[in-house]
């Protein structure tokens, strides 16, 4: 199993550009199914889940032509509406193909999606299924496959029982081709959702209210393709900003959107991390003393659950006590046990809350990354720690951070990948 070997402590310097947002790329690719047209996507991050999504599209009859961070997709001849178990089982975002296939073909067959272990009951999809049924689909379960059928989806009102990013995106895309008007309430408000809605509207859809808790989607007969540029990944931006803060480094983060991590920058001001910002760059200044500040993860624009693990590492270096409360997912504090093995002073109150006392020296350790965001947190911890740290299961990190070792070496990190 390949590993990262990292020598700390590290001082970062220079500039690091941010890639396109993984969690937007994983939606625009399935969205191309409702377009039944050609679409060119630029600023695509080069990570495994994207390749998975593109190969899934090809299995369904789509054509894809990827060159670096640009891909041309043609879904005019799509001819299959069943998600193969071996691929769909490997990544959660395969669920995003279900709605568009249902809207386009009136029927879709799929297994339960896979992906990170976080989330109760292995990443539930009850909210998706309820939403599709609200739009008139009928559900059958046949030997561990779901089959959804709907001659023609009909607009309706659906109140999300739990704010869900992918369920919001999925129902928004699907309702675009339903007959009549759909009102979605208690929607997620992530910037990626607003981007997606804006793109679909530029090409014939009629989606109002994206980025607010209530969306109204007027069904249309078709939506055409066009060019789509993926916005910078706000979680990469926040991860690099926290990495600089935790190592007391001065680092400039480019090709980013500081306005998409306003919550983190607001907390940086409270804890003494100095920074300068422009429209598409963020410069973290060397900040010797960090004050503790407790957080509770929350849907956008609140503190993102995906930045919780990196932020917890930062709090191990703060001058005092903080409480980290993970409200979105179960199992997203698994990595804290490894931080305490590295020397962090943590007390698990319950599966969702941990008390962190700082500052503590961290020491090198042999670690395994339990999930994507814990993986980058362990990298940050190893940059703070003394000595050589080994991190296994780095497939989980490669899934979300393109060529992360190569990019970190460019800003002064002593990191190597062992086969
Ligand atoms: C998206 O996941 C992101 N993934 C996650 O990023 C991110 O952590 C999450 O939103 C929250 O911001 C993608 O966009 C591909 P949810 P998603 O549905 O949509 C429960 C990363 O590291 N729920 O908003 O799957 C669920 O269990 C990944 O990049 C149901 O109960 O998250 C969770 O507790 C990790 N039933 C809560 O809702 C459902 O049908 C929020 O999950 C769906 C979700």
């Amino acid at each position: 199993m390949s590993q990262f070997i990292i020598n700390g402590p590290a001082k970062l310097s220079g500039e690091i550009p941010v890639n396109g947002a993984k969690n937007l790329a994983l939606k625009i690719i399935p969205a191309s199914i409702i377009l039944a047209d050609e679409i060119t996507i630029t600023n695509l991050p080069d990570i495994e889940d994207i390749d998975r999504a593109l190969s899934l599209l090809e299995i369904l009859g789509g054509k894809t032509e990827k060159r670096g961070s640009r891909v041309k997709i043609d879904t005019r001849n799509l001819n299959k509406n069943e998600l193969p178990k071996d691929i769909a089982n490997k990544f959660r975002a395969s669920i995003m193909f279900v709605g568009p296939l249902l809207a386009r073909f009136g029927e879709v067959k799929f297994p339960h999606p896979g992906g990170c272990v976080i989330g109760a009951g292995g990443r539930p999809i009850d909210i998706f299924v309820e939403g599709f049924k609200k739009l008139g689909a009928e559900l059958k379960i046949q030997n561990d496959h779901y089959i959804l059928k709907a001659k023609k989806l009909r607009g309706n009102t659906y109140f999300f029982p739990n704010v869900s990013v992918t369920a919001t995106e999925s129902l928004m895309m699907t309702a675009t081709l339903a007959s009549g008007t759909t009102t979605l309430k208690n929607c997620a408000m992530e910037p990626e959702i607003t981007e997606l809605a804006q793109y679909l509207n530029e090409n014939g859809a009629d989606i109002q209210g994206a980025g607010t808790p209530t969306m109204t989607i007027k069904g249309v007969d078709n939506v055409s393709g066009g060019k789509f540029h993926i916005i910078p990944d706000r979680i990469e931006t926040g991860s690099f900003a926290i990495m600089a803060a935790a190592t007391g480094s001065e680092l400039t983060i480019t090709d980013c959107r500081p306005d998409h991590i306003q919550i983190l920058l607001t907390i940086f001001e409270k804890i003494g991390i100095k920074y300068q910002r422009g429209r598409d760059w963020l410069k973290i200044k060397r900040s010797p003393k960090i004050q503790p500040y407790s957080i509770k993860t929350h849907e956008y624009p609140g503190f993102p659950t995906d930045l919780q693990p990196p932020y917890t590492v930062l709090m191990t270096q703060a001058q005092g006590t903080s409480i980290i409360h993970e409200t979105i997912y179960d199992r997203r504090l698994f990595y804290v046990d490894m931080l305490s093995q590295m020397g962090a002073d943590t007390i698990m109150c319950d599966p969702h809350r941990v008390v962190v006392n700082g500052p503590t020296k961290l020491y090198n350790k042999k670690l395994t990354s339990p999930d994507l965001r814990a993986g980058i947190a362990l990298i940050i911890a190893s940059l703070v720690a003394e000595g050589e740290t080994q991190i296994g299961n780095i497939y989980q990190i490669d899934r979300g951070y393109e060529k992360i070792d190569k990019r970190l070496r460019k800003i002064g990190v002593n990191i190597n990948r062992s086969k």
Side-chain angles (χ1 to χ4, degrees):
M1 179 167 75
S2 49
Q3 290 185 320
F4 283 141
I5 316 286
I6 301 167
N7 276 284
K11 275 284 175 251
L12 315 182
S13 62
E15 286 192 5
I16 186 163
V18 168
N19 288 333
K22 162 179 91 79
N23 289 345
L24 178 53
L26 288 172
K27 304 350 174 349
I28 185 64
I29 292 171
S32 68
I33 292 170
I34 59 170
L35 307 177
D37 198 349
E38 282 187 316
I39 164 175
T40 300
I41 303 172
T42 51
N43 202 27
L44 203 65
D46 184 12
I47 48 180
E48 198 162 318
D49 272 4
I50 302 301
D51 293 337
R52 276 221 172 83
L54 292 173
S55 57
L56 188 47
L57 206 56
E58 285 181 349
I59 290 169
L60 298 168
K63 284 203 187 63
T64 74
E65 205 184 307
K66 188 174 161 223
R67 281 211 188 85
S69 64
R70 166 189 287 265
V71 66
K72 251 175 102 175
I73 292 175
D74 183 347
T75 56
R76 283 174 294 190
N77 303 318
L78 224 60
N79 52 19
K80 289 196 189 65
N81 60 352
E82 180 172 352
L83 298 184
K85 198 173 167 81
D86 57 333
I87 293 204
N89 260 349
K90 284 211 182 73
F91 78 123
R92 161 88 184 170
S94 58
I95 186 76
M96 294 309 299
F97 285 73
V98 170
L101 288 171
L102 175 64
R104 182 153 164 188
F105 294 109
E107 181 172 341
V108 58
K109 188 175 175 189
F110 61 103
H112 196 286
C116 314
V117 292
I118 53 171
R123 309 299 294 278
I125 59 169
D126 54 311
I127 299 179
F128 291 82
V129 172
E130 254 170 57
F132 295 139
K133 286 163 107 175
K134 272 279 179 190
L135 296 182
E138 272 154 36
L139 171 72
K140 259 195 328 192
I141 298 181
Q142 232 167 37
N143 2 305
D144 85 353
H145 266 76
Y146 299 85
I147 300 168
L148 282 165
K149 271 187 187 162
K151 275 201 189 45
K152 180 72 182 149
L153 293 167
R154 290 182 313 280
N156 201 341
T157 297
Y158 181 49
F159 197 107
F160 289 104
N162 196 338
V163 175
S164 162
V165 174
T166 41
T168 300
E169 292 161 331
S170 183
L171 270 295
M172 174 181 86
M173 284 188 231
T174 308
T176 299
L177 296 186
S179 60
T181 299
T182 297
T183 304
L184 300 176
K185 294 179 179 269
N186 197 25
C187 298
M189 304 188 273
E190 272 63 9
E192 294 79 21
I193 296 174
T194 313
E195 281 294 309
L196 194 53
Q198 197 178 315
Y199 172 75
L200 293 174
N201 283 343
E202 283 161 9
N203 294 289
D206 183 351
I207 302 166
Q208 305 306 320
T212 75
T214 301
M215 269 201 262
T216 306
I217 300 118
K218 284 204 182 79
V220 296
D221 293 334
N222 59 56
V223 184
S224 59
K227 288 194 182 326
F228 185 77
H229 186 78
I230 296 181
I231 57 171
D233 192 312
R234 59 194 165 91
I235 304 302
E236 260 206 0
T237 308
S239 304
F240 295 143
I242 291 172
M243 193 181 283
T247 52
S249 306
E250 180 154 299
L251 181 70
T252 301
I253 303 160
T254 59
D255 299 342
C256 66
R257 289 284 301 270
D259 56 320
H260 287 166
I261 54 164
Q262 189 52 58
I263 182 71
L264 181 67
L265 298 177
T266 303
I267 290 173
F268 271 15
E269 287 161 24
K270 284 180 171 302
I271 64 175
I273 305 290
K274 295 178 192 57
Y275 66 88
Q276 290 165 328
R277 65 187 276 183
R279 198 185 59 75
D280 61 357
W281 60 270
L282 176 65
K283 182 171 191 175
I284 306 299
K285 314 284 279 179
R286 212 168 278 106
S287 313
K289 283 215 180 306
I290 302 170
Q291 295 311 311
Y293 190 79
S294 298
I295 59 148
K296 192 187 262 192
T297 59
H298 191 277
E299 293 81 12
Y300 191 88
F303 197 94
T305 173
D306 294 345
L307 287 179
Q308 173 265 105
Y311 182 80
T312 304
V313 176
L314 180 63
M315 285 298 103
T316 68
Q317 305 308 304
Q319 310 284 324
T321 299
S322 55
I323 299 179
I324 311 292
H325 186 176
E326 171 55 60
T327 65
I328 309 275
Y329 284 118
D330 302 329
R331 307 183 191 148
R332 199 163 219 184
L333 289 172
F334 273 0
Y335 69 94
V336 171
D337 168 51
M338 287 180 247
L339 288 190
S340 52
Q341 287 173 39
M342 294 178 81
D345 178 357
T346 61
I347 305 150
M348 285 303 287
C349 310
D350 61 36
H352 288 267
R353 286 180 310 154
V354 59
V355 172
V356 182
N357 295 312
T360 51
K361 264 188 96 42
L362 300 182
Y363 296 92
N364 59 321
K365 200 81 188 138
K366 270 176 83 70
L367 306 165
T368 308
S369 165
D371 71 62
L372 167 57
R373 305 303 175 181
I376 200 76
L378 295 178
I379 288 182
I380 297 172
S382 57
L383 300 181
V384 174
E386 293 272 342
E388 179 180 282
T389 297
Q390 296 172 18
I391 301 177
N393 193 21
I394 58 175
Y395 150 75
Q396 284 292 351
I397 303 172
D398 286 332
R399 272 184 60 213
Y401 296 88
E402 179 184 335
K403 303 186 185 72
I404 189 67
D405 46 336
K406 203 165 149 233
R407 295 159 76 194
L408 292 184
R409 276 197 289 274
K410 282 193 181 149
I411 54 172
V413 173
N414 178 347
I415 177 172
N416 290 296
R417 183 186 290 257
S418 83
K419 282 290 162 229

